[in-house]
């Protein structure tokens, strides 16, 4: 069974930085290529929202609220996805989820369990 394991969350002061990592296991590399790799977040009382997306081709995509502050990258050989977050703001506080999505492969989605990011002084 494919597993996604997030790490790197925690408590940070406003203006600080964190790096989230997602390690994908029990998936062969050629299958990993078929999936976009995404980070979502969900704050208390709010819907889950897409933060950043990286595919094997094309430029990364970001939510307007994080453009210029967050950077997503993926390592296809290691099957990892990283989200570097700089200049964090209190409104970035949420549970962050790693997601794999494919329009062709089945199943179409895999989710991690999430990692908490809290931005507070």
């Amino acid at each position: 069974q494919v597993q996604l394991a997030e790490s790197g969350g925690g408590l940070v002061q406003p203006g600080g930085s964190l790096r989230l990592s997602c390690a994908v296991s029990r998936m062969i590399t050629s299958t990993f290529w078929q999936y976009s790799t995404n980070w979502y977040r969900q704050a208390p009382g709010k819907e889950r929202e897409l933060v950043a997306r990286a595919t094997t081709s094309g430029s990364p995509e970001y939510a307007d609220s994080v453009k210029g502050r967050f950077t997503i990258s993926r390592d296809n050989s290691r099957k990892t996805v990283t989200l570097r977050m700089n200049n964090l703001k209190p409104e970035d506080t949420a549970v962050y989820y790693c997601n794999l999505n494919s329009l062709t492969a089945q199943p179409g989605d895999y989710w991690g369990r999430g990692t908490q990011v809290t931005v507070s002084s």
Side-chain angles (χ1 to χ4, degrees), residues 64-82:
D64 288 342
S65 59
V66 307
K67 282 181 181 177
R69 300 188 297 121
F70 289 13
T71 303
I72 188 172
S73 60
R74 59 185 283 168
D75 187 323
N76 291 320
S77 61
R78 296 186 177 184
K79 292 172 288 184
T80 58
V81 190
T82 300

Side-chain angles (χ1 to χ4, degrees), residues 32-96:
F32 184 72
W33 276 76
Q34 299 180 53
Y35 285 84
S36 66
T37 50
N38 314 295
W39 285 97
Y40 283 77
R41 68 185 180 187
Q42 188 167 20
K46 295 188 177 181
E47 293 187 354
R48 191 172 296 189
E49 64 172 348
L50 177 64
V51 175
R53 167 172 290 149
T55 64
T56 53
S57 62
S59 300
E61 301 171 14
Y62 299 95
D64 288 342
S65 59
V66 307
K67 282 181 181 177
R69 300 188 297 121
F70 289 13
T71 303
I72 188 172
S73 60
R74 59 185 283 168
D75 187 323
N76 291 320
S77 61
R78 296 186 177 184
K79 292 172 288 184
T80 58
V81 190
T82 300
L83 184 69
R84 296 181 180 273
M85 306 184 294
N86 296 323
N87 190 21
L88 283 160
K89 304 176 180 181
E91 51 264 41
D92 295 318
T93 295
V95 178
Y96 284 70

